[in-house]
Amino acid sequence: DPVLLLMPERHSTPFIFASPHSGRIYPPGFARVSRLDPVTLRKSEDAFVDELFDFVPMLGAPLLAAKFPRAFVDANRAPGEIDPGMFDAPVEATGPRTPRVAAGLGVIPRIVRDGLEIYGARLPAREAAFRLESFYRPYHAALARLVADAKAQFGVAVIVDCHSMP
């Protein structure tokens, strides 16, 4: 499962805590295609933010955390924020070229936090669909369910997006 979902015994508040960048499970194939060492790749994590907020279920709120790293898929980007130049063929989901995509910080990042290039070669185009379907979409589906449940129960949903700063 690409996400961690910690639910309270009783959902008693409209707040939902989300940690999209604290994932630290690196798919083996990702490590093979990256030109960076594991420590450098980890610089893009909001390390241990999920653990800092793991108490919120005791307060009646759910915690959703991505298990996958931001350097692999950035769950805080739109699914079309893809740099087509990263791939060996056209990618279907590509949207308009945003400043984040141009900077290498799309939904599939090209760089880590220090501006270092993650890949030494273009990725297969099918990799974009795989990452979106297997990681990005399950995270957002879980978040959408939490929002719908909170709205049904409380009439409103408040997402607290949890991050750290370097």
Side-chain angles (χ1 to χ4, degrees):
D1 193 3
V3 299
L4 169 69
L5 179 58
L6 301 178
M7 292 297 294
E9 283 187 32
R10 190 172 78 74
H11 196 170
S12 60
T13 178
F15 287 88
I16 299 160
F17 289 78
S19 179
H21 297 151
S22 57
R24 52 196 166 273
I25 298 175
Y26 285 75
F30 177 54
R32 284 191 297 275
V33 297
S34 172
R35 57 188 289 278
L36 302 175
D37 63 90
V39 173
T40 303
L41 283 172
R42 292 199 68 191
K43 288 181 178 184
S44 287
E45 291 176 18
D46 285 350
F48 307 108
V49 167
D50 55 336
E51 292 181 14
L52 289 172
F53 286 90
D54 67 1
F55 68 92
V56 298
M58 293 182 279
L59 302 176
L63 170 67
L64 173 66
K67 291 181 182 178
F68 52 88
R70 177 191 344 209
F72 184 67
V73 173
D74 189 338
N76 262 15
R77 298 289 179 251
E81 286 188 274
I82 293 177
D83 180 352
M86 291 177 56
F87 300 93
D88 65 1
V91 175
E92 289 182 32
T94 304
R97 189 163 176 86
T98 66
R100 288 187 296 245
V101 171
L105 299 171
V107 66
I108 299 172
R110 182 174 41 81
I111 63 169
V112 292
R113 188 188 79 206
D114 292 341
L116 299 172
E117 296 280 336
I118 297 172
Y119 307 101
R122 290 182 182 217
L123 298 173
R126 69 183 178 282
E127 185 69 15
F130 167 72
R131 292 186 192 189
L132 290 174
E133 289 303 316
S134 302
F135 298 90
Y136 181 90
R137 292 202 196 320
Y139 178 88
H140 283 278
L143 185 58
R145 282 190 304 274
L146 292 170
V147 167
D149 291 348
K151 283 184 173 181
Q153 185 173 352
F154 304 105
V156 66
V158 179
I159 299 172
V160 179
D161 210 35
C162 307
H163 297 273
S164 67
M165 300 303 287

